[in-house]
Amino acid sequence: MATEEHLVAARSNRADHIAARLSAAGFTPRVRHRKGCICVETEVPDPVSAEAWRELLKVLGTADSFGLITSGSGRIAWAAISKDTPATAGAARGHGHQL
């Protein structure tokens, strides 16, 4: 059985892996620890290459939830890793897959 310490490390590793993949695809990610999740955010340039867009979508799909915010100042993609333990986390992830 995993200890809470191992779960925290695993969540941080997932967020770091997402950030590394975004960096490799040419994005500039930021990792932010929030109350209920670890959030990885990156600005999405306009235009963005088809290859970078595909990689962005693949990477976002590895998170517990994700989204894209568009405003007058640009676009920000985000991926969140829940800090809840599996027993207390919702069964459905933000993009329709189960945990």
Side-chain angles (χ1 to χ4, degrees):
M1 181 177 221
T3 66
E4 184 63 28
E5 188 174 295
H6 287 110
L7 292 173
V8 170
R11 290 180 197 113
S12 288
N13 287 341
R14 282 182 67 200
D16 290 344
H17 182 71
I18 288 170
R21 285 184 63 191
L22 289 172
S23 274
F27 297 98
T28 306
R30 298 175 299 279
V31 178
R32 299 177 183 215
H33 292 261
R34 304 250 165 100
K35 184 176 182 177
C37 68
I38 302 170
C39 193
V40 182
E41 302 171 348
T42 189
E43 292 182 23
V44 180
D46 187 21
V48 63
S49 73
E51 182 180 330
W53 184 254
R54 281 190 298 274
E55 183 62 14
L56 174 66
L57 294 177
K58 279 190 228 176
V59 172
L60 293 178
T62 66
D64 293 332
S65 58
F66 61 86
L68 180 69
I69 300 167
T70 303
S71 69
S73 60
R75 298 181 294 186
I76 296 178
W78 59 270
I81 306 300
S82 177
K83 287 184 179 178
D84 292 333
T85 58
T88 60
R93 290 167 47 169
H95 47 83
H97 296 285
Q98 291 196 337
L99 293 170

